[in-house]
């Protein structure tokens, strides 16, 4: 390529040849492979000269991470394991087959420098994610779990270090020859080894809990709380290890580092808070960048001068910045994608180049054979699991939960690699030790997800048949409700509905208010925030993300303002004197998997009913305006997967007649239960029955029957020889199905008998012929009401509903619910559509032959299971007759 150039004082201007591939001789002279334009009289600076090699290495690691991530995506390995594996494969591959052109030895100076800089910014983000205010709220169980989980790994780390460092000729640990003939490494090596095994990575554990849908469970919150204790303990031990690296045990060497910690908390924290808040209010990006970059670099230099490590300073600076403020969220959005997507692959590349497999075949007396390294890797993998398992069992946890918690606490991340690389840089670990620990971290990381999913899957299967429905609960039993809130516009109707659910000492209610927030940015993980109510702030000690919105000086984001409003509303509901206990939570998750988060939380809280708002918002005239298709998708997924009953509330100003949701005085409400038949309608009647006990509710039950009386319920079971029984098998108790019409008659008759003296309850029974007549009859009988309560009845085949299903627009409301919502006479009335939980794909009934009809109450009969694939008959099942109706 030709171009005019001019020379000015020894500099070449014009065309700059950044990368020039000259004719390469057969002797592989690398001096002509890369050339960088520089002044003619400038010396060949090593750092500048090898920068082009860095770009090749950077491109290779980015390509390798994306390719390996795509290949291993079906296995759902954690991101850390994919990046670690890519670094090893790409690094060793380039050193083996393209060392001369891609990764010469001198170019590692550039890679090491930029890799270390990447770590500084990464640990700053780790510190930024941890809120020190939550440490004081962490319960004793989480503290003990985090601390006791470090004891056995530390011991195993010491043992493994001396196994690899010892000369095979001298095996007596207490002999002088043993200590005189150790491998040429510093005796701080066992500390680094043990600290690396004690690490529990908080960010990586949060991702795993989110992916396995355990983040909202008690175990998930316990693991996350314990990981904070473990991570803080790791940083303290790392400081001690770095201080002891010169071989002295004088604690005075620790004073400068801990003095920096104290100064950062009492001096740097207020100053950084003021600068960041001022930069956010004035939109001064220059001040924001100066505060962050200046704080990170200054803190790193100070801790390096104190004899610790520069990464500790960056971590402390991130730790002292207040969490939960608007500018903190902005910092996460600015730095996270850049650091984790651009900078951190450089560190994994550097780590992969260091993990030389050639060390296994080196000719040295201290080289450990491969089979021994494999045993050491397995021992290192099991140390944290066994330690946590033993303590959890002693605390009364089940074996499955204790093992799952141990596996979760064994989550490793970048911090473990930081400890390992620091030990190697300080000559505390040899090359073989470094490689053994890297392989241990990789093995721990790839085994976490399969083990956790297997244990969680078996637990889910064992709880599938535990039906939690309104119909199966006694009226006097506690009603546990999970109320989902998207925006504050959902509050009024939801709170009024819960108020009308008859919360009293005789009929207690536990409400879990769940604020649903869409995860839209590229944060590391979804999260669950458990808010402390003033009345029960001592409960749920193990919750990790506790946010209190105290202090009017904080700039709250829109999400936090909505969460604060929700918290105050449900606290007010709890303080009104009724026996209603409320706990507020916030779930931040993508809508595609939000239904899984709600389902897991419902199972963890053992709720009977999940209430969700309809995806359309009504105006003051009852007309629908706003529509959110994501809400509808979530509602439909939730109705298909939930393991308890679920209700969709179509709010058209429910409770608007009251002055305010926080007032104690209420006007009389008129509720109507529409009953046609089937399990969903029985669920609606059960909920309406409970509401009828409230002194402020007038209930009308309208039962619609077919004139021809040919409604076969769900159409799946027929015959007169079908008997309702309780089946006990394998420790699980399930109720068999019989003719739905008989169950409907039995439940309605029980309702009528037990409410016949209640003047606030009205029973109406009408016969209809078609779907059009159903709507006409409802409008004729019900002149006005505040709320219609009905079942979805999606799978019930009824002749009186024929003709209406063809015009259904919102099938999640069922045929009748969708039609009522569009009717003029119900334009100002709200709807609650309930769906009863059942075991999908499984139906069961009992057939008793006529010859056996005079047998005793207990006997052996044929049990028939029916699903979409096959019918199975078992003749060895003991049954019991059903109990008498509830008293």
């Amino acid at each position: 390529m030709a171009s005019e150039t001019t020379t000015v004082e020894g500099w070449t201007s014009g065309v700059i040849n950044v990368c020039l591939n000259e004719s390469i001789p057969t002797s592989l002279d690398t001096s002509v492979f890369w050339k960088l334009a520089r002044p003619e009289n400038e010396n060949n600076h090593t750092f500048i000269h090898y920068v082009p090699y860095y770009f090749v290495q950077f491109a290779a690691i980015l390509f390798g991470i994306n390719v390996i991530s795509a290949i291993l995506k079906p296995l759902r390995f954690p991101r850390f394991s994919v990046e670690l594996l890519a670094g090893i494969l790409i690094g060793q591959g380039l050193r083996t087959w393209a060392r001369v052109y891609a990764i010469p030895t001198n170019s590692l100076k550039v890679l090491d420098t930029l890799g270390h800089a990447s770590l500084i910014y990464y640990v700053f983000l780790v510190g930024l994610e941890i809120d020190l205010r939550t440490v004081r709220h962490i319960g004793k169980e989480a503290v003990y779990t985090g601390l006791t989980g470090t004891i056995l790994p530390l011991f195993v780390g010491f043992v493994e270090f001396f196994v690899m460092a010892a000369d095979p000729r001298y095996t007596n640990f207490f002999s002088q020859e043993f200590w005189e003939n150790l491998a040429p490494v510093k005796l701080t090596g066992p500390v680094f080894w043990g600290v690396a095994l004690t690490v529990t990575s908080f960010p990586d554990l949060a991702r795993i809990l989110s992916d396995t849908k355990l983040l909202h469970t008690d175990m998930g919150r316990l693991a996350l709380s314990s990981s904070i204790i473990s991570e803080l303990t790791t940083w303290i031990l790392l400081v001690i290890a770095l201080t002891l690296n010169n071989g002295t045990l004088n604690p005075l060497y620790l004073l400068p580092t801990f003095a920096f910690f104290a100064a950062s908390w009492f001096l740097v924290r207020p100053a950084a808070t003021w600068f960041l808040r001022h930069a956010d209010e004035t939109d001064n990006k220059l001040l924001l960048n100066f505060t962050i970059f200046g704080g990170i670099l200054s803190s790193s230099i100070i801790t390096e001068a104190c004899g610790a490590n520069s990464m500790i300073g960056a971590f402390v600076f991130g730790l002292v910045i207040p969490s939960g403020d608007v500018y903190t969220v902005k910092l996460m959005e600015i730095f996270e994608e850049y650091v984790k997507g651009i900078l951190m692959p450089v560190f994994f590349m550097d780590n992969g180049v260091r993990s030389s497999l050639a060390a296994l075949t080196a000719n040295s007396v201290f080289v450990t054979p491969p089979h021994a390294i494999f045993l050491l890797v397995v021992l290192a993998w099991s140390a944290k699991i066994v330690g946590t398992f033993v303590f959890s069992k002693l605390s009364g946890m089940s074996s499955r939960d204790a093992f799952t918690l141990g596996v979760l606490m064994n989550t490793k991340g970048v911090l473990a690699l930081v400890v390992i690389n620091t030990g190697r840089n300080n000559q505390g670990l040899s090359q073989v030790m470094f490689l053994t620990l890297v392989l241990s971290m990789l093995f721990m990381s790839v085994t976490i997800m399969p083990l956790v999913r297997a244990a969680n899957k078996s637990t889910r299967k064992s709880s599938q048949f535990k039906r939690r429905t309104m119909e199966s609960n006694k009226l006097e039993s506690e009603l546990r409700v999970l109320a989902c809130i998207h925006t504050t516009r959902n509050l009024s109707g939801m709170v009024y509905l819960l108020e009308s659910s008859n919360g009293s000492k005789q009929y207690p209610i536990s409400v879990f208010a769940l604020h649903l927030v869409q995860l839209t940015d590229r944060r590391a993980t979804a999260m669950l925030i458990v808010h402390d109510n003033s009345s029960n702030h001592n409960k749920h000690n193990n919750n990790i993300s506790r946010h209190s919105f105290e202090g009017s000086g904080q700039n709250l984001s829109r999400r936090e303002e909505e969460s604060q409003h929700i918290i105050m509303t449900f606290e007010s509901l709890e303080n009104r004197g009724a026996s209603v206990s409320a706990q507020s939570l916030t779930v931040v998750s993508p809508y595609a998997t939000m239904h899984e988060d709600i389902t897991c939380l419902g199972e963890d809280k053992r709720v009977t009913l999940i209430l969700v708002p309809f995806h359309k918002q009504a105006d003051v005239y009852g007309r629908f305006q706003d529509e959110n298709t994501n809400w509808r998708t979530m509602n439909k997924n939730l109705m298909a997967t939930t393991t308890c009953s679920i209700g969709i509330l179509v709010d058209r100003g429910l409770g608007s007649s009251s002055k305010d949701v926080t007032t104690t005085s209420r006007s009389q409400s008129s509720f109507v239960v529409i009953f046609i038949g089937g399990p969903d309608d029985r669920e609606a009647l059960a909920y309406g029955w409970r509401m009828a006990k409230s002194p402020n509710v007038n209930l009308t039950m309208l039962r619609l029957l077919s004139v021809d009386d040919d409604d076969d319920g769900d159409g799946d079971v027929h015959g007169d020889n079908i008997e309702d029984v309780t089946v006990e098998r394998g420790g699980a108790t399930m109720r068999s199905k019989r003719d739905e019409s008989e169950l409907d008659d039995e439940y309605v008759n029980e309702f009528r008998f037990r409410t016949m003296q209640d003047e606030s309850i009205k029973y109406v029974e009408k016969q209809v012929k078609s779907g059009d007549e159903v709507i006409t009859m409802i409008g004729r009988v019900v002149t006005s009401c505040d709320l219609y309560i009905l079942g979805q009845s999606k799978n019930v085949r009824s002749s009186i509903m024929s003709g209406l299903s063809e015009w259904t627009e919102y099938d999640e409301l069922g045929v009748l619910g969708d039609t009522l919502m569009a009717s003029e006479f119900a334009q100002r009335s709200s709807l609650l559509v309930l769906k009863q939980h059942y075991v999908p794909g499984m139906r069961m009934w009992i057939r008793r032959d006529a010859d056996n009809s005079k047998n005793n109450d207990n006997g052996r009969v044929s049990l028939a299971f029916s699903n979409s694939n096959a019918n199975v008959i078992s003749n060895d099942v003991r049954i019991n007759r059903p109990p008498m109706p509830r008293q």
Side-chain angles (χ1 to χ4, degrees):
M1 179 177 179
S3 176
E4 293 185 1
T5 61
T6 59
T7 303
V8 180
E9 296 182 358
W11 288 81
T12 301
S13 62
V15 176
I16 299 178
N17 295 322
V18 176
C19 176
L20 175 63
N21 186 355
E22 297 182 355
S23 57
I24 303 176
T26 56
S27 61
L28 296 178
D29 183 10
T30 59
S31 62
V32 297
F33 185 74
W34 294 107
K35 280 193 176 181
L36 191 67
R38 62 181 67 86
E40 294 179 356
N41 58 356
E42 181 186 3
N43 294 328
N44 188 7
H45 195 282
T46 303
F47 190 91
I48 298 295
H49 178 68
Y50 286 100
V51 166
Y53 290 97
Y54 164 74
F55 291 113
V56 174
Q57 299 157 9
F58 180 66
I61 188 62
L62 286 183
F63 177 77
I65 289 177
N66 285 278
V67 171
I68 295 177
S69 178
I71 295 175
L72 300 181
K73 186 176 182 180
L75 300 179
R76 298 183 178 181
F77 284 163
R79 179 71 178 178
F80 168 74
S81 61
V82 174
E83 293 174 332
L84 179 58
L85 181 61
I88 296 175
L89 296 179
I90 300 300
Q92 294 304 309
L94 291 180
R95 292 204 68 176
T96 303
W97 294 296
R99 179 169 187 155
V100 176
Y101 304 111
I103 190 167
T105 303
N106 291 335
S107 68
L108 296 181
K109 297 178 181 180
V110 180
L111 195 62
D112 288 344
T113 302
L114 297 178
H116 189 76
S118 304
L119 282 181
I120 290 177
Y121 290 104
Y122 176 81
V123 296
F124 165 74
L125 286 179
V126 173
L128 195 63
E129 289 181 348
I130 299 177
D131 188 359
L132 284 180
R133 294 174 297 178
T134 64
V135 176
R136 62 180 180 178
H137 295 295
I138 296 178
K140 293 182 179 180
E141 185 180 2
V143 174
Y144 294 153
T145 302
L147 293 179
T148 55
T150 63
I151 298 176
L152 186 59
L154 278 174
F155 175 76
V156 171
F158 273 71
V159 172
E160 290 190 333
F161 172 83
F162 287 109
V163 167
M164 297 194 69
D167 191 326
R169 297 170 296 180
Y170 306 98
T171 58
N172 187 359
F173 181 81
F174 299 98
S175 64
Q176 184 177 359
E177 292 81 3
F178 177 87
W179 294 95
E180 292 177 351
N181 294 275
L182 288 176
V185 291
K186 293 183 178 181
L187 291 182
T188 53
V191 180
F192 288 108
W193 195 307
V195 172
L197 297 185
T198 63
V199 173
T200 299
S201 177
F202 173 78
D204 294 274
L205 177 60
R207 293 190 196 97
I208 291 174
L209 291 174
S210 177
D211 293 340
T212 56
K213 302 306 174 183
L214 293 176
L215 185 64
H216 309 150
T217 63
D218 291 337
M219 180 186 297
R221 289 190 292 273
L222 174 61
L224 211 55
S225 302
S226 303
S227 69
I228 285 188
I229 302 298
S230 179
E231 187 149 342
L232 293 177
T233 304
T234 301
W235 281 107
I236 295 174
L237 293 175
L238 181 59
V239 172
I240 296 175
L242 291 171
T243 306
L244 299 179
N245 192 60
N246 55 5
T248 180
L249 297 177
N250 192 343
L252 293 178
Y253 285 93
L254 297 174
L255 290 181
T257 304
F258 285 106
F260 169 75
F261 291 168
S264 299
W265 182 261
F266 294 106
L267 299 177
V268 177
R269 178 184 174 90
T273 302
W274 184 87
F275 274 106
L276 292 174
R277 184 175 297 163
H278 181 71
D280 179 68
E281 292 175 352
T282 59
D283 197 21
N284 191 337
K285 295 182 179 180
L286 180 62
L287 180 60
L288 178 65
N289 294 332
F290 172 79
T291 304
I292 296 301
F293 286 99
I296 294 175
L297 296 178
S298 300
S299 301
S300 302
I301 293 173
I302 292 174
T303 51
E304 189 76 30
C306 290
N309 192 286
S310 57
M311 291 176 292
I312 296 177
F315 174 76
V316 172
F317 183 69
L319 206 61
V320 299
I321 294 179
S323 301
D325 290 337
V326 176
Y327 50 80
T328 306
V329 177
K330 289 184 178 180
L331 288 178
M332 294 291 294
E333 294 176 350
I334 293 173
F335 278 89
E336 191 163 35
E337 185 173 354
Y338 172 70
V339 172
K340 295 184 179 180
I342 303 297
L343 295 182
M344 284 310 295
V346 180
F347 168 72
F348 286 105
M349 181 68 180
D350 186 28
N351 184 83
V353 173
R354 291 168 175 257
S355 305
S356 177
L357 298 178
L360 298 177
T361 59
N363 186 16
S364 174
V365 69
F366 297 102
V367 173
T368 308
H371 67 276
I373 290 182
F374 174 77
L375 294 178
L376 292 174
V377 169
V378 174
L379 181 61
W381 169 82
S382 62
K384 189 95 172 181
I385 298 177
V386 174
T388 306
F389 176 84
V390 172
F391 174 77
S392 301
K393 284 292 294 181
L394 294 177
S395 301
M397 191 177 292
S398 65
S399 299
R400 177 186 285 112
D401 292 343
F403 175 75
T404 304
L405 181 61
V407 173
L408 291 173
M409 293 300 294
N410 207 28
T411 303
K412 296 297 185 285
V414 176
L415 180 56
L417 292 183
V418 170
V419 176
I420 298 171
N421 281 272
T422 304
R424 182 181 182 276
N425 294 338
N426 288 274
Q427 301 177 2
L429 299 174
S430 65
Q431 182 61 41
V432 180
M433 296 177 183
F434 175 82
L435 178 62
T436 303
L437 280 173
V438 170
L439 295 178
S440 300
M441 300 302 114
L442 181 61
F443 183 63
M444 294 175 189
S445 182
V446 299
T447 56
I448 290 175
M449 293 290 283
L451 292 177
V452 172
R453 289 184 182 276
N456 190 36
K457 185 177 181 180
S458 61
T459 304
R460 295 281 178 82
K461 285 185 176 180
S462 63
S463 62
Q464 261 189 347
F465 296 100
K466 297 178 181 179
R467 303 176 71 235
R468 302 190 302 273
T469 64
M470 296 286 298
E471 181 188 2
S472 60
N473 280 1
K474 294 182 179 180
L475 291 177
E476 298 80 8
S477 62
E478 180 188 26
L479 176 61
R480 302 176 67 86
V481 181
L482 183 63
C484 300
I485 307 293
H486 290 284
T487 66
T488 53
R489 294 181 63 182
N490 306 137
L491 269 178
S492 177
M494 194 69 71
V495 171
Y496 192 86
L497 183 65
L498 294 171
E499 270 189 315
S500 304
S501 299
N502 189 29
S504 61
K505 293 183 178 179
Q506 187 179 3
Y507 308 102
I509 299 178
S510 293
V511 178
F512 302 94
L514 192 61
H515 182 201
L516 306 178
V517 180
Q518 183 183 14
L519 181 66
T520 55
D521 54 16
R522 295 188 62 181
R523 293 291 299 274
T525 178
M527 55 185 171
L528 173 73
I529 304 172
V530 183
H531 306 282
D532 277 337
N533 292 344
S534 58
S535 60
N536 58 351
H537 63 277
N538 291 326
K539 298 179 181 179
H540 310 285
N541 290 335
N542 294 326
N543 296 336
I544 176 57
S545 299
R546 296 182 175 271
H547 287 221
S548 58
F549 302 100
E550 299 176 357
S552 58
Q554 287 191 4
N555 296 323
L556 301 180
S557 64
R558 179 181 177 184
R559 173 180 64 82
E560 291 169 337
E561 290 177 351
E562 288 187 339
S563 296
Q564 184 182 18
H565 191 181
I566 293 171
I567 294 169
M568 295 176 61
T569 301
F570 281 93
E571 282 183 357
S572 176
L573 174 65
E574 187 176 20
N575 296 330
R576 289 176 204 169
S579 295
V580 177
S581 62
Q583 181 183 5
S584 300
L585 309 97
T586 299
V587 166
V588 184
S589 178
Y591 279 123
T593 59
M594 190 174 288
H595 64 283
E596 299 178 8
D597 300 327
I598 299 173
T599 300
C600 293
L601 186 60
E603 292 180 354
D604 181 56
K605 300 299 182 181
R606 302 183 305 278
V607 299
T608 306
L609 178 64
I610 297 177
L611 295 175
V612 294
F614 190 55
H615 67 277
K616 282 190 172 184
Q617 300 288 326
D619 58 14
V620 294
Y621 302 104
R623 296 188 296 264
F624 293 105
Q625 292 181 335
D626 301 332
E627 180 176 3
N628 192 318
T629 56
N630 291 325
W631 294 9
R632 184 186 184 189
T633 302
M634 187 207 73
N635 290 345
K636 297 178 73 172
N637 293 336
L638 194 60
M639 298 188 88
T641 59
T642 184
T643 55
C644 65
S645 296
I646 180 175
I648 297 180
L649 176 62
V650 183
D651 185 12
R652 280 173 163 165
L654 182 62
S656 59
S657 58
S658 299
K659 294 181 180 180
D660 190 86
V661 295
T662 60
T663 59
T664 56
S665 59
R666 284 184 46 190
S667 59
Q668 205 72 12
S669 301
S670 176
F671 294 170
V672 176
V673 175
I674 302 178
F675 191 96
I676 296 178
D680 295 345
D681 282 5
R682 293 197 299 273
E683 193 74 3
L685 178 57
Y687 194 27
W689 193 349
R690 184 184 182 99
M691 289 180 167
K693 299 293 182 180
S694 175
N696 298 316
V697 173
N698 292 326
L699 181 68
T700 299
M701 186 212 169
L702 174 59
R703 186 180 189 186
L704 300 176
L705 298 174
S706 174
V707 174
D708 300 329
D709 195 23
D710 60 352
D711 186 9
D712 291 329
D714 62 359
D716 294 311
V717 181
H718 301 279
D720 297 329
N721 294 329
I722 297 176
E723 184 174 336
D724 186 28
V725 295
T726 298
V727 182
E728 298 176 355
R729 187 179 190 181
T733 301
M734 295 188 300
R735 183 182 179 185
S736 66
K737 285 185 174 293
R738 66 174 181 181
D739 193 3
E740 291 291 343
S741 61
E742 295 182 15
L743 292 177
D744 294 340
D745 293 338
E746 176 184 331
Y747 199 71
V748 171
N749 291 336
E750 182 183 355
F751 168 78
R752 295 180 62 185
F753 176 76
R754 297 179 61 180
T755 60
M756 59 188 306
Q757 303 298 331
D758 194 338
E759 296 181 355
S760 64
I761 299 177
K762 179 182 179 182
Y763 176 80
V764 180
E765 186 174 296
K766 297 292 183 180
Q767 290 186 336
V768 292
K769 296 181 179 179
S770 62
D772 294 337
E773 193 170 342
V774 167
I775 302 302
T776 304
M777 186 62 67
I778 294 175
R780 185 182 306 166
V781 174
V782 183
T783 55
S784 64
C785 76
D786 297 304
L787 177 67
Y788 287 98
I789 307 173
L790 62 152
Q792 185 196 40
S793 302
K794 186 176 180 180
N795 297 322
V796 175
R797 296 197 294 267
S798 176
S799 59
I800 62 175
M801 299 304 297
S802 60
L804 294 180
S805 59
E806 301 175 358
W807 307 98
T808 301
E809 183 178 1
Y810 305 110
D811 55 348
E812 65 269 25
L813 300 179
V815 177
L816 184 57
D818 180 80
T819 307
L820 270 180
M821 191 180 68
S823 302
E824 290 188 7
F825 65 85
Q827 191 172 6
R828 295 297 185 91
S829 301
S830 301
L831 276 75
L832 178 62
V833 181
L834 293 169
K835 180 179 182 296
Q836 188 182 84
H837 166 63
Y838 67 99
V839 181
M842 180 69 68
R843 307 195 185 280
M844 183 174 60
W845 63 89
I846 299 295
R847 290 189 178 89
R848 184 182 294 277
D849 296 334
D851 296 339
N852 297 329
S853 59
K854 296 181 181 181
N855 289 349
N856 296 329
D857 290 344
N858 296 330
R860 296 184 181 274
V861 295
S862 296
L863 173 64
F865 292 86
S866 175
N867 57 27
S868 59
N869 298 324
N871 293 329
V872 182
I873 303 296
S874 174
N875 294 316
D876 193 23
V877 179
R878 181 165 296 278
I879 65 170
N880 300 313
R881 288 192 178 277
M884 296 296 293
R886 295 168 295 179
Q887 299 297 325

